[in-house]
């Protein structure tokens, strides 16, 4: 994934910014289009797609085309429009919309037997599937396209499935032998068409470019399989001379990467050193090009300002919500792209330098260092991703209450929940691998088991709906069931098992069943089962299911967003968490007959336990003054919205403000304190506050619960904590518990 983000960074970033600007100029009030206008819009849209993004500001043509899409009558024009809109939505990362338009265009192209256009659309669809990691769909479509190219007269279009299948095997799944087979077939057919087809400069350039790209992939395959080293050097030299005049730094860095691998295989250290210098040079040039292109952003902003002045007030109101949505998505994508590229380049650079410095004979030591760097990498990325997760889940929680575009907000909120589960799985996996789990201090509390089960089903509902799977809950009791246990661990275990069931259930259903099978005094035994009737698990594979980095099969490893493409983190974490809760996971499955994961927990029960419910928020506690201290403007904005929704008055401060003066002046009743701030830590600031005024202080932090220093919190006067991202009910509960009569 990081490799894909790194290679597409420049064009994807500028595409996002350009399309956000172009969205302003789309006039949605037009309701009809004559034939001449349609031809102009189609031609202009084609120009937008074909031209460099920096040279085009007329994205309003594409958006106008979408506005009248359903009024187009000519099937051929619909096919063309579908292709332009599919490319447009793919470029702004709306992959579902892109897939919808492309598939519709392919259906019409097939009905009118326009096989050349069908193959062009299939090429765009392959790019969408590759971006989504849906490699099975990509291969199935390209196999079908290969049959079409053999059955119908499509001329040079037959190169499309051959190229995509070569890339699929070499780049996507690393099947280098098959990559060689399809790469050689592509070269043979490309040479044939160059000889037999009528001269066409645009077509010749395209075929020549694709031929060089395939030769780069063939060179990689030959190196990996240790074949035809004479061809490797020839192919790489040809590619270098082809791309050097265009200054394509990304392609040149790929070429010198393969030079490096080639000379490493030959053991020519001098050539390895020279190739490494070239590789580093082109990487730096690629980064500089990106920085130079970002300097063009003020030009886009000026153009945007001019367009805003030309719009009427009614049109501006209609577009404001759409612009905000695109800005949020563009910002999130840009942050993820920059982070992924930075860590990808840093790790790759370090590994190559270590290989050169330690020599080819120190491979064992290199592997140990890579393993250590992997743990550090995941730790940093996971912690940094908590900030956007907090913004997504917090803001969407409030926006859902206000009923602002409910369907879209619900989808974003579930995406945030999914990303949070992935982060928790990664952090748990790292702690287990490094032996940092502390079983001597279980974090047990009373909670309503019925409420937890409903929350888990709700969190997984959107993913189940996307996969057309029915998600059911069966319990042997009705109403609340108050138990004492480790709430967060139980939720993480159940959600991982349900997501795993959804992935392998096909188009059927997944059932979560909970049975209270026994009780003694104030304790009860609960039997949890997650069942599906999907593909099942072969007997010989069942022992490997809970081993880290093992998977059932390559064909089923790319659909689950929670297991890092099927490397087994989810089930690995499930087994370890249950061990911490004195339980054990059991698996029962037959191939083709589904699977059932089950475990038992012994938990205290207390029907008279008094807990804080949302409806019990006392009116006498409303209208109090809450101060939020954080170094992040986004976190402050989210916290302010949540606190205000609860009926309190919110004040904000950063670590550079005089917090004590604000507390005294505004008569603050409670402080929400971030722990990790650059100027002064939350611990030190809390001690400073407590020296002057005795006000309740609650830590709100993105640190994992296991990593909190409770002794340091107590010494600093912090009396509680809440982990980001948190929900509105969770905030209500912690405030209720810590605002007392004396506080008021």
């Amino acid at each position: 994934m990081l490799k894909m983000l790194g290679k597409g960074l420049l064009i994807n970033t500028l595409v996002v910014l350009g399309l956000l600007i172009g969205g302003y100029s789309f006039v949605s009030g037009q309701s009809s289009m004559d034939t001449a206008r349609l031809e102009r819009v189609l031609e202009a849209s084609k120009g937008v797609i074909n031209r460099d993004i920096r040279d085009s500001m007329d994205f309003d043509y594409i958006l106008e085309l979408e506005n009248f899409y359903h009024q187009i009558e000519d099937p051929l024009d619909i096919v063309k429009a579908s292709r332009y809109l599919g490319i447009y939505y793919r470029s702004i990362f709306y992959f579902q919309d892109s897939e919808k338009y492309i598939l519709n265009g392919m259906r019409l192209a097939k009905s009118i037997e326009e096989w050349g256009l069908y193959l062009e659309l299939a090429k765009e669809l392959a790019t969408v599937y590759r971006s989504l990691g849906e490699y099975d769909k990509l291969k199935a479509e390209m196999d079908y396209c290969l049959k079409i190219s053999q059955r119908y007269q499509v001329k040079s279009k037959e190169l499309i499935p051959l190229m995509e299948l070569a890339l699929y095997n070499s780049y996507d799944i690393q099947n280098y032998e098959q990559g060689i087979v399809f790469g050689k077939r592509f070269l043979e057919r490309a040479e044939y068409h160059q000889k037999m087809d009528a001269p066409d400069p645009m077509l010749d350039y395209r075929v020549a470019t694709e031929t060089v790209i395939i030769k780069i992939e063939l060179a990689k395959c030959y190196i990996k399989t240790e074949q035809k080293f004479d061809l490797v050097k020839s192919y790489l030299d040809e590619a270098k001379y082809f791309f050097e005049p265009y200054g394509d730094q990304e392609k040149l860095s790929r070429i010198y990467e393969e030079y490096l691998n080639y000379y490493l295989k030959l053991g020519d250290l001098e050539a390895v050193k020279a190739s490494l210098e070239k590789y580093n040079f082109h990487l730096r040039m690629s980064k500089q090009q990106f920085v130079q292109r970002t300097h063009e952003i003020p030009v886009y902003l000026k153009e945007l300002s001019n367009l805003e002045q030309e719009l009427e007030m009614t049109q501006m109101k209609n577009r404001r919500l759409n612009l905000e949505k695109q800005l949020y998505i563009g910002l999130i994508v840009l942050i993820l792209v920059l982070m992924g590229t930075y860590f990808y380049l840093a790790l790759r650079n370090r590994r190559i330098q270590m290989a050169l410095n330690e020599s080819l004979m120190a491979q064992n030591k290199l592997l140990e260092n890579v393993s250590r760097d992997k743990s550090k990498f995941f730790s940093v990325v996971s912690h940094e991703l908590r900030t956007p997760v907090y913004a997504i889940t917090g803001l969407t929680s409030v926006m859902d209450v206000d009923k602002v575009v409910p369907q879209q907000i619900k989808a974003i909120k579930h995406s945030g929940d999914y990303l949070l589960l992935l982060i928790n799985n990664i952090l748990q996996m790292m702690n287990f691998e490094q032996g940092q789990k502390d079983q001597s201090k279980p974090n047990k509390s009373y909670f309503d088991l019925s409420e937890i089960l409903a929350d888990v089903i709700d969190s997984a509902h959107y993913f189940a709906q996307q996969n057309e799977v029915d998600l059911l809950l069966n319990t042997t009791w009705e109403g609340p069931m108050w138990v004492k246990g480790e709430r967060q661990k139980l939720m993480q275990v159940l959600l991982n098992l349900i997501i795993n069931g959804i992935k392998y259930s096909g188009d059927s259903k997944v059932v979560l069943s909970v049975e209270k099978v026994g009780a003694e005094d104030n304790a009860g035994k609960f039997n949890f089962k997650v069942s599906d009737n999907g593909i099942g698990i072969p007997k010989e594979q069942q022992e490997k299911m809970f081993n880290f980095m093992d998977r059932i099969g390559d064909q089923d490893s790319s659909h689950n967003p929670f297991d890092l493409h099927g490397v087994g983190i989810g089930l690995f974490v499930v087994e370890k968490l249950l061990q911490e809760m004195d339980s054990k996971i059991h698996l029962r499955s037959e191939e083709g007959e589904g699977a059932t994961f089950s475990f038992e927990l012994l938990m205290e029960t207390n029907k008279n336990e008094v807990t804080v419910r949302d409806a019990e928020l006392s009116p006498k506690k409303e209208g109090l003054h809450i101060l939020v201290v954080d170094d992040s403007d986004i976190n402050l904005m989210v916290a302010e919205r949540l606190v205000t929704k609860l009926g309190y008055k919110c004040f904000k401060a950063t670590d550079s403000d005089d917090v004590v003066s604000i507390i005294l002046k505004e008569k603050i009743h409670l402080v929400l304190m971030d722990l990790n701030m650059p100027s002064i830590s939350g611990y030190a600031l809390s001690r400073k506050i407590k020296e002057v005024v005795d006000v309740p202080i609650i830590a709100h932090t993105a640190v994992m619960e296991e990593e909190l220093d409770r002794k340091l919190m107590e010494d600093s006067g912090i009396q509680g904590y809440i982990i980001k991202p948190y929900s509105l009910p969770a905030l209500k509960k912690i405030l209720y518990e810590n605002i007392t009569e004396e506080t008021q």
Side-chain angles (χ1 to χ4, degrees):
M1 183 64 182
L2 291 177
K3 189 171 183 179
M4 292 171 59
L5 288 173
K7 292 182 178 181
L9 174 62
L10 293 177
I11 187 63
N12 286 341
T13 303
L14 292 171
V15 165
V16 170
L17 293 172
L19 290 173
L20 291 177
I21 295 169
Y24 255 111
S25 61
F26 169 46
V27 179
S28 61
Q30 190 174 353
S31 61
S32 63
M33 183 193 331
D34 57 25
T35 303
R37 180 60 179 169
L38 171 60
E39 292 178 356
R40 288 195 295 272
V41 170
L42 283 172
E43 190 63 29
S45 299
K46 177 181 178 182
V48 172
I49 296 302
N50 290 337
R51 288 197 297 274
D52 191 296
I53 191 69
R54 294 173 299 169
D55 301 328
S56 178
M57 299 295 294
D58 52 350
F59 291 97
D60 50 328
Y61 284 115
I62 294 180
L63 297 173
E64 183 179 1
L65 180 62
E66 181 179 40
N67 192 41
F68 294 98
Y69 180 78
H70 295 290
Q71 300 180 25
I72 303 175
E73 297 179 355
D74 186 351
L76 185 58
D77 287 339
I78 297 176
V79 172
K80 294 178 181 179
S82 299
R83 178 171 179 265
Y84 301 149
L85 290 169
I87 295 174
Y88 166 78
Y89 278 111
R90 186 200 70 211
S91 65
I92 62 172
F93 312 109
Y94 279 35
F95 296 119
Q96 290 183 344
D97 289 334
S98 177
E99 181 183 16
K100 177 187 70 176
Y101 280 113
I102 292 173
L103 287 175
N104 189 50
M106 293 172 66
R107 178 181 60 81
L108 285 175
K110 183 177 181 180
S111 67
I112 61 176
E113 298 186 354
E114 283 286 346
W115 300 114
L117 283 175
Y118 183 93
L119 293 175
E120 289 286 353
L121 285 162
K123 182 177 180 66
E124 304 300 338
L125 186 63
T127 304
V128 172
Y129 286 155
R130 182 168 288 113
S131 299
L132 295 173
E134 296 181 350
Y135 303 121
D136 290 346
K137 290 184 178 180
L138 187 155
K139 183 178 184 303
E141 185 59 48
M142 287 303 110
D143 286 342
Y144 178 69
C145 289
L146 192 60
K147 293 178 181 179
I148 289 176
S149 66
Q150 294 169 351
R151 184 181 307 169
Y152 301 102
Q153 186 69 23
V154 292
K155 296 184 179 180
S156 63
K157 295 294 192 300
E158 71 168 321
L159 297 177
I160 291 174
L162 291 175
M163 179 177 184
E164 292 299 333
L165 286 170
L167 292 175
Y168 165 78
N169 285 284
S170 170
Y171 180 83
D172 296 329
I173 66 171
Q174 289 81 50
N175 186 343
Y176 301 115
E177 294 291 348
Q178 284 298 307
I180 292 172
V181 171
F182 283 101
K184 290 171 66 177
R185 288 180 61 184
F186 176 91
L187 294 183
E188 291 172 0
R189 300 308 299 169
E191 182 179 1
Y192 170 80
H193 286 293
Q194 287 176 334
K195 292 179 179 179
M196 302 301 296
D197 292 348
D200 184 341
M202 291 297 293
L203 178 60
D204 291 344
Y205 175 75
R206 172 178 166 181
V207 172
T209 303
E210 293 176 348
T211 298
V212 173
I213 292 173
I214 290 298
K215 286 184 177 180
I216 296 174
E217 293 301 317
L218 274 173
K220 178 175 72 176
C221 292
Y222 286 143
I223 293 171
K224 295 292 185 180
T225 58
E226 298 185 354
Q227 303 179 44
K228 299 186 179 181
F229 278 81
D230 54 334
L231 277 181
V232 170
K233 182 71 165 51
S234 168
Y235 285 168
L236 293 178
D237 288 344
E238 180 181 346
K240 180 183 68 173
Y241 294 134
F242 183 87
F243 286 112
E244 275 184 341
Y246 302 104
D248 192 331
Q249 302 299 330
E250 188 271 333
K251 293 292 190 306
L252 290 171
S253 66
R254 284 181 55 193
I255 292 167
Y256 278 103
E257 178 184 3
E258 298 310 327
Y259 271 128
L260 181 61
N261 293 329
Y262 169 72
Y263 288 120
L264 280 171
K265 289 286 185 180
L266 295 180
D268 187 344
L269 293 183
E270 288 299 323
V272 167
K273 182 177 180 181
S275 299
L276 178 60
E277 291 175 353
K278 286 285 189 178
Y279 173 67
N280 285 331
F281 170 76
H282 289 294
L283 279 181
R284 289 195 302 272
M285 292 299 295
S286 180
K287 291 168 63 178
Q288 290 175 6
Q289 285 182 348
F290 169 70
V291 172
Q292 291 172 358
R293 300 190 77 174
T294 55
H295 289 164
E296 299 172 10
I297 294 176
V299 178
Y300 294 139
L301 295 178
K302 181 179 180 181
E303 193 73 24
L304 176 60
S305 177
N306 294 335
L307 291 172
E308 284 178 334
Q309 295 175 4
E310 298 173 359
L311 294 176
E312 298 177 2
M313 290 299 297
T314 54
Q315 293 172 327
M316 292 178 65
K317 289 180 179 179
N318 290 336
R319 284 181 188 78
R320 190 165 294 128
L321 289 176
N322 186 47
L323 177 64
E324 289 176 358
K325 177 194 71 176
Q326 292 185 6
L327 285 173
Y328 286 135
I329 295 173
L331 182 59
I332 292 170
V333 171
L334 184 59
I335 291 172
L336 292 175
V337 168
L338 291 172
M339 288 174 57
T341 303
Y342 172 80
F343 288 112
Y344 166 73
L345 295 177
L347 285 174
R348 176 171 289 276
N349 235 6
R350 183 173 181 180
R351 290 177 181 177
I352 294 174
Q353 290 172 349
M354 289 177 65
L356 182 62
N357 294 335
E358 298 296 330
S359 82
L360 297 175
M361 301 302 295
Q363 291 300 319
N364 289 335
K365 184 177 180 180
L366 175 62
L367 290 175
E368 293 174 359
N369 292 336
V370 169
S371 178
R372 185 181 66 251
D373 291 342
K374 178 200 69 176
S375 297
K376 180 180 179 181
F377 164 78
F378 279 124
S379 177
V380 174
V381 170
S382 299
H383 184 272
E384 290 301 318
L385 283 176
R386 285 184 178 274
T387 295
V389 171
Y390 173 50
I392 293 172
T393 55
L395 284 175
T396 51
S397 175
V398 175
M399 294 171 71
D400 188 48
V401 171
D402 291 339
K403 299 188 181 303
V404 180
V405 196
Q407 187 60 31
Q408 296 177 354
I409 298 306
K410 186 176 181 181
I412 297 175
K413 184 179 185 302
H414 280 288
S415 297
D417 292 340
Y418 291 164
L419 186 56
L420 180 59
L421 177 65
L422 173 59
I423 293 170
N424 288 335
N425 281 343
I426 294 173
L427 293 177
Q428 294 280 12
M429 178 270 294
M430 285 184 355
N431 288 333
F432 286 129
E433 276 196 312
Q434 298 169 3
Q436 294 180 357
K437 300 300 290 183
D438 185 359
Q439 300 185 36
S440 64
K441 299 180 180 179
N443 184 26
K444 292 186 177 182
S445 62
Y446 278 101
F447 59 87
D448 182 2
L449 180 57
S450 298
E451 180 182 355
I452 295 304
L453 296 176
D455 288 345
V456 169
I457 293 296
D458 180 67
S459 295
H461 176 74
Y462 183 76
F463 183 64
Q465 188 179 48
Q466 293 298 103
N467 287 269
E468 300 181 354
V469 173
D470 292 331
L471 189 55
L472 306 178
L473 171 64
N474 294 329
T475 61
T476 58
W477 69 87
E478 295 183 0
M481 175 62 68
W482 295 101
V483 298
K484 186 175 184 180
E486 298 185 76
R487 176 181 181 275
Q488 188 61 40
K489 291 180 181 178
L490 178 58
M491 289 189 67
Q492 190 171 352
V493 167
L494 291 175
L495 193 52
N496 272 305
L497 291 178
I498 290 173
I499 293 303
N500 188 72
I502 292 172
K503 173 185 173 183
Y504 293 104
S505 66
D507 297 330
S508 188
K509 64 182 178 181
V510 173
V511 181
L512 169 60
S513 303
V514 186
E515 179 184 8
K516 186 178 180 183
V517 295
E520 49 185 57
D521 297 332
N522 290 331
K525 183 178 291 185
F526 294 86
N527 188 355
F528 297 82
K529 293 182 180 179
V530 177
S531 305
D532 66 77
N533 53 357
I535 63 175
I537 305 170
K539 292 291 186 183
E540 63 273 12
Q541 294 288 346
Q542 292 184 16
E543 294 183 358
K544 302 179 181 179
M545 287 301 298
F546 302 97
N547 294 334
F548 180 54
M549 297 300 288
D550 282 344
R551 61 179 72 186
I552 297 177
D554 291 340
Q555 70 278 13
D556 296 314
S557 64
S558 60
H559 303 291
N560 187 353
F562 306 111
D563 63 359
L564 290 182
H565 299 296
V567 298
I569 286 182
L571 292 179
F572 172 82
V573 169
V574 164
E575 183 181 46
K576 297 299 183 183
L577 288 178
L578 287 176
Q579 288 177 2
E580 289 192 346
M581 294 190 285
D582 297 324
S583 183
K584 183 178 181 181
I585 188 72
H586 300 281
L587 168 60
R588 180 173 56 83
S589 178
E590 295 290 340
E591 190 170 3
E593 297 182 6
T596 298
F597 293 85
S598 62
F599 62 92
E600 288 187 348
L601 285 179
L602 183 64
M603 294 185 287
E604 296 181 33
T605 59
N606 189 342
K607 296 182 180 179
N608 298 321
E609 176 67 17
V610 178
T611 61
V612 179
R613 299 180 177 87
D614 294 348
E616 294 177 349
L617 187 61
S618 175
K620 65 185 178 182
K621 294 183 179 180
E622 296 180 355
L624 300 185
H625 293 184
I626 308 296
L627 175 64
V628 182
V629 183
D630 206 302
D631 63 311
S632 168
D633 291 338
I634 295 178
N635 290 352
L636 288 172
M637 178 180 64
V638 174
E640 180 183 26
R641 295 291 301 275
L642 293 172
V643 169
T644 304
K645 278 293 176 183
L646 294 178
Y648 303 125
K649 186 172 182 181
C650 182
F651 296 85
K652 299 180 293 184
T654 67
D655 52 335
S656 61
D657 294 328
D658 188 350
V659 175
V660 175
S661 297
I662 295 174
I663 293 174
L664 295 174
K665 178 182 178 181
E666 304 298 344
K667 298 180 179 180
I668 299 300
H669 298 95
L670 184 141
V671 178
L672 286 173
M673 176 71 68
D674 187 22
L675 296 180
N676 298 322
M677 297 184 291
S679 298
I680 182 173
S681 73
Y683 302 106
L685 187 53
S686 297
R687 287 194 294 269
K688 184 178 179 181
I689 292 172
K690 286 293 187 177
E691 291 174 357
V692 179
V693 58
D694 186 15
V695 60
I697 301 176
I698 304 299
H700 78 138
T701 176
V703 175
M704 284 193 69
E705 192 169 1
E706 294 87 344
E707 299 175 1
L708 285 173
D709 190 334
R710 291 176 173 79
K711 180 65 168 59
L712 182 57
M713 289 172 55
E714 182 180 350
D715 294 342
S716 303
I718 300 173
Q719 62 194 57
Y721 64 88
I722 184 170
I723 304 298
K724 304 174 189 174
Y726 47 79
S727 64
L728 196 63
L731 179 62
K732 179 186 293 186
K733 181 177 184 299
I734 194 70
L735 294 181
Y736 184 92
E737 291 174 343
N738 289 278
I739 298 178
T740 64
E741 296 292 339
E742 291 76 11
T743 303
Q744 303 176 62

